[in-house]
Amino acid sequence: MTKINFRWAITHALDEELARDDKVFLVGQDVGESGGVFGLTRGLYEKYGGWRVKDTPISEEGITGLAVGAGMIGHRPVVEIMYMDFISLAIEQLANQAAKTFYVSGGKIKVPMVVRTLAGGGFKAGIHHSQSLESWFTHIPGLKVVYPSTPYDVKGLLKSSIRDDNPVVFIEHKGLFSLKGEVPDEEYTIPLGKADIKREGSDVTIISYGKSVHQSLEAAEALAEEGICAEVIDLRTLVPLDKETILKSVEKTNRAMVVYEATKESGFGAEVSSIISEELIYDLDAPVRRIAGAFTPIPLGDAEDAHFPTVEEIIKVAKEMCY
Amino acid sequence: MDMKEFKLNYYEKLYLARHFEDELMKLFADNKVVGWIHSNKGHEVIGVSLALAMKSHDYIVPHHRDRPAYLAKGLSAKSLLAEIMGKTTGCCGGIGGELHIMDVETRIYGPTGVLGSNLPIALGIAYANKLAGNDHVVVCNFGEGGSNRGSFHEVLNMAALWSLPIVFVCENNKFVEFTPMQKHMNIEDVARRASGYDIEGIIADAFNPMETYETFKYAIEKARRGDGPTLVEAKTYRLDGHYEGDPMKYRDEEEKKYWLERDPIIGFKASLLNESIANESELESLEASVHQVLKEAVEFALKSEPLKVSDTFKNVYA
């Protein structure tokens, strides 16, 4: 095991997959010679050359469609959409083309491709550099959606996503880039569709993903001191969703909350909450709660903090549910 | 292939494309087709010329008026018709329908109901071929209306920048759904847009079979040599409405008359006779064999099984 930060775990995953399979290539704005706006592809251009690590113009739809076409004939392209806020421009290719090709070809043409995109707040950069837009994609049959929270998970899940035969939207929270964690020295992958119980507990289940997992864990630590034993589930993959792990946990705790940074309304927490209500409503000791982003654009500067979930809020709601 | 053989083969493919549409319209009127159909009449010379100028390993990423290219590239009339009728024997098992004809064997990829969205897909196939270092060429078709999409500009820019092996074919049929093109753009010639990307833009008269063929042949071989993309604007005229049943109130009847008189299928046949390339009886027997192919295709498609509802829940994920 070696301790590395989240951003190097991404770089290592890309490097290993580029080395393993010559069908893998990267495209995106500034992914080449400059190594990317956050340095995530640093060194790869020199190692694999300008055709496998391709700098592109500002053409989000064009490069996402490029991946669809290359994927259709057996390549494994990885696109970087620099900020998830820009992914609106790529939705046509993702939702109408990539997601539906296998279906509409009668199961004859696969589209293996990954769109990596940098989401979330923390840089306090305002409306167009801070959003978490996963629920735009969890609504589309045919797409897989991955949102990891640790260096170990991001590396293993990115490698699996590149090897998957379906289009995957892979979301990397910018606020996690300097987070350090243990990563095995040997080769490993993590299957898509498996949640991870990051902390075991018996009183309340906190279901989360991305950066919010760490706030949930911090809240669980504080709650333990007050005698509330919270279980924290990191979904890791939103589609396919590991319902089994969620339901098994809530059957045990009889209380559930969903914590996520995206806008609360019509966000992924609504889906999780509905599944729990549909399956376990008579087992619940309290209504399922959602702690998530405000229904506003994300403001510039420190005001951002007031629009995202906080550890204090998680603690407060958990107490309300348990007492 | 000598010139006689080439021209007879060309005429057979033109005739097949035109009469496939007739059979399709009859089936549509009989309520045997699912969804809509968009007539390809007036586009035959483009599809046939492309298919004859391409090699079997070349890719086509077409738009919705390219059935002539599918047939000429080797997709069987049976498989195509069955697909349009939503039958399991169709090339996509009956789930794709008229707008989503794909076929791995004849290398037809990526047509879409969202016009202009096929351009980035074609770019990707060309990019992958360049990466693989082979000599396969991609042909990408769209209309003059589709050339107003942002995707057109993004893709022409990248294809030019990276000198990709791709030929862009704008099938300018003068109508954007129900609207004459001049209401949507200031330029008359889409080929002029090529200069914005510093690539060659060429106009071909798509009512002139040999001129169109030679133009495509030039652009495809140029791409194959590694000399980059070309934008070919094939000027045609949509002889029917946007879709079957369109009353076409927007059309000038004099204009239609002008184009109908120049119908390339009639003209090409006349040239074969005038230049003594073939005689009446040779052409009659060729036409009869096409009608036989179509008759068998119609029978095949009619008796094929429709896609089961239960099968429409499959293949969401690979």
Side-chain angles (χ1 to χ4, degrees):
Chain A
M1 294 289 239
T2 311
K3 216 165 189 186
I4 61 170
N5 65 30
F6 194 89
R7 82 175 75 200
W8 296 128
I10 295 168
T11 313
H12 292 174
L14 293 171
D15 190 1
E16 287 175 20
E17 291 306 296
L18 281 161
R20 186 187 61 85
D21 182 355
D22 63 10
K23 297 284 187 195
V24 177
F25 68 92
L26 314 185
V27 289
Q29 291 152 33
D30 278 330
V31 301
E33 286 181 81
S34 72
V37 69
F38 289 97
L40 299 175
T41 52
R42 204 171 286 159
L44 301 179
Y45 173 89
E46 290 76 10
K47 201 164 169 184
Y48 300 100
W51 283 101
R52 292 189 67 205
V53 183
K54 192 69 175 166
D55 274 322
T56 71
I58 301 176
S59 297
E60 284 80 1
E61 184 187 357
I63 62 172
T64 307
L66 184 158
V68 178
M72 275 182 183
I73 65 163
H75 288 248
R76 294 194 176 274
V78 182
V79 181
E80 179 177 304
I81 299 292
M82 194 188 289
Y83 290 94
M84 194 166 198
D85 315 72
F86 311 164
I87 211 167
S88 51
L89 296 160
I91 284 188
E92 161 55 17
Q93 291 297 325
L94 274 167
N96 271 331
Q97 311 304 329
K100 293 174 174 63
T101 294
F102 185 68
Y103 183 79
V104 86
S105 67
K108 290 177 183 168
I109 301 173
K110 295 171 186 168
V111 184
M113 63 180 276
V114 178
V115 173
R116 291 180 40 243
T117 187
L118 282 50
F123 286 81
K124 310 197 188 270
I127 56 167
H128 290 158
H129 290 77
S130 309
Q131 298 173 89
S132 208
L133 299 166
E134 62 277 10
S135 61
W136 288 3
F137 301 98
T138 56
H139 189 63
I140 305 295
L143 297 179
K144 294 189 177 181
V145 182
V146 183
Y147 204 153
S149 72
T150 67
Y152 174 81
D153 288 345
V154 77
K155 186 177 177 193
L157 288 165
L158 182 50
K159 286 166 70 83
S160 292
S161 298
I162 293 170
R163 297 178 195 190
D164 199 277
D165 280 338
N166 298 282
V168 179
V169 178
F170 193 92
I171 305 168
E172 299 160 4
H173 195 295
K174 300 186 288 289
L176 295 173
F177 283 167
S178 51
L179 178 82
K180 277 192 187 298
E182 296 277 351
V183 170
D185 298 320
E186 62 276 13
E187 160 89 26
Y188 73 99
T189 57
I190 298 170
L192 305 189
K194 292 273 178 236
D196 183 41
I197 299 171
K198 289 276 194 284
R199 180 190 174 104
E200 290 199 21
S202 51
D203 297 327
V204 56
T205 302
I206 305 175
I207 300 147
S208 190
Y209 53 90
K211 192 188 169 196
S212 303
V213 169
H214 300 282
Q215 291 171 298
S216 301
L217 287 168
E218 204 182 318
E221 195 68 43
L223 286 164
E225 286 171 22
E226 302 194 36
I228 295 173
C229 192
E231 178 146 301
V232 178
I233 296 178
D234 179 0
L235 293 177
R236 301 197 292 192
T237 305
L238 307 186
V239 182
L241 181 64
D242 184 355
K243 289 183 195 176
E244 203 189 322
T245 298
I246 298 170
L247 295 174
K248 222 170 130 188
S249 173
V250 180
E251 269 177 350
K252 177 175 70 177
T253 62
N254 305 117
R255 297 178 186 92
M257 67 167 92
V258 197
V259 185
Y260 54 108
E261 190 177 299
T263 304
K264 176 177 163 183
E265 286 78 358
S266 300
F268 195 69
E271 180 63 28
V272 175
S273 170
S274 295
I275 289 168
I276 295 168
S277 302
E278 281 166 354
E279 302 277 342
L280 296 174
I281 188 126
Y282 299 111
D283 295 335
L284 294 177
D285 290 338
V288 180
R289 300 286 293 271
R290 288 173 291 163
I291 300 165
F295 194 70
T296 62
I298 297 167
L300 190 69
D302 288 339
E304 174 188 275
D305 296 339
H307 293 249
F308 292 145
T310 59
V311 174
E312 294 69 34
E313 213 180 337
I314 301 168
I315 295 169
K316 181 172 160 276
V317 171
K319 285 184 181 171
E320 285 169 15
M321 293 175 80
C322 292
Y323 295 137
Chain B
M1 200 185 284
D2 66 13
M3 191 46 86
K4 172 172 176 160
E5 210 181 324
F6 177 82
K7 285 195 169 176
L8 284 179
N9 182 32
Y10 195 113
Y11 179 64
E12 184 181 342
K13 288 179 160 55
L14 275 184
Y15 193 84
L16 172 65
R18 175 63 59 88
H19 290 272
F20 186 94
E21 294 303 295
D22 285 341
E23 294 300 333
L24 189 55
M25 284 172 191
K26 278 189 255 170
L27 290 163
F28 184 78
D30 266 356
N31 210 17
K32 302 285 189 202
V33 175
V34 283
W36 291 290
I37 55 169
H38 303 79
S39 167
N40 289 198
K41 288 186 184 177
H43 291 256
E44 296 91 345
V45 163
I46 300 168
V48 173
S49 295
L50 278 173
L52 293 179
M54 291 165 86
K55 293 195 169 160
S56 61
H57 60 233
D58 291 338
Y59 295 82
I60 185 162
V61 184
H63 83 330
H64 59 301
R65 297 193 204 274
D66 286 320
R67 280 189 285 279
Y70 305 158
L71 291 165
K73 205 167 185 305
L75 182 63
S76 76
K78 284 181 179 174
S79 181
L80 177 57
L81 191 57
E83 184 58 42
I84 295 170
M85 290 167 68
K87 301 298 183 78
T88 53
T89 51
C91 53
C92 297
I95 191 90
E98 190 225 9
L99 291 177
H100 306 285
I101 302 297
M102 289 197 258
D103 183 56
V104 173
E105 198 181 326
T106 51
R107 301 204 162 181
I108 302 167
Y109 284 86
T112 152
V114 190
L115 299 186
S117 288
N118 62 329
L119 283 114
I121 293 171
L123 178 83
I125 297 177
Y127 190 90
N129 284 325
K130 179 111 178 177
L131 257 182
N134 61 39
D135 73 341
H136 304 172
V137 173
V138 179
V139 169
C140 178
N141 305 50
F142 46 89
E144 74 287 357
S147 81
N148 291 327
R149 275 278 306 273
S151 59
F152 169 89
H153 300 278
E154 292 187 2
V155 165
L156 263 74
N157 182 48
M158 285 185 273
L161 182 66
W162 302 330
S163 197
L164 295 184
I166 184 165
V167 178
F168 297 104
V169 178
C170 176
E171 304 190 27
N172 184 345
N173 68 14
K174 301 191 170 39
F175 295 102
V176 184
E177 196 175 59
F178 308 138
T179 304
M181 66 170 283
Q182 55 271 23
K183 293 194 177 180
H184 286 179
M185 50 222 282
N186 271 343
I187 54 168
E188 196 179 326
D189 299 328
V190 175
R192 282 178 61 198
R193 290 186 165 166
S195 66
Y197 308 98
D198 198 21
I199 62 171
E200 196 175 1
I202 311 176
I203 293 171
D205 172 8
F207 270 42
N208 180 332
M210 293 313 287
E211 179 192 319
T212 302
Y213 169 77
E214 294 298 342
T215 307
F216 288 147
K217 187 87 190 153
Y218 163 78
I220 289 167
E221 290 315 314
K222 175 179 140 189
R224 199 182 311 285
R225 285 196 307 274
D227 290 339
T230 308
L231 171 60
V232 179
E233 180 182 9
K235 299 272 195 189
T236 182
Y237 186 75
R238 201 181 72 203
L239 294 171
D240 288 325
H242 166 65
Y243 47 42
E244 192 58 7
D246 175 2
M248 289 177 271
K249 288 178 182 157
Y250 48 86
R251 189 201 293 277
D252 175 352
E253 282 308 312
E254 280 303 306
E255 183 185 69
K256 185 181 177 184
K257 201 167 148 249
Y258 167 78
W259 287 91
L260 272 176
E261 280 165 3
R262 298 178 60 226
D263 186 331
I265 295 171
I266 297 167
F268 194 66
K269 183 178 181 179
S271 76
L272 293 177
L273 295 169
N274 291 342
E275 294 164 25
S276 301
I277 288 166
N279 60 38
E280 288 276 4
S281 75
E282 277 177 290
L283 295 184
E284 270 169 30
S285 90
L286 180 151
E287 289 169 3
S289 72
V290 168
H291 286 293
Q292 183 59 30
V293 165
L294 288 170
K295 184 168 170 277
E296 285 168 17
V298 171
E299 283 168 7
F300 173 81
L302 282 172
K303 72 168 199 284
S304 292
E305 287 294 316
L307 183 67
K308 286 194 200 75
V309 172
S310 58
D311 287 338
T312 62
F313 291 91
K314 295 177 181 165
N315 294 329
V316 177
Y317 290 95

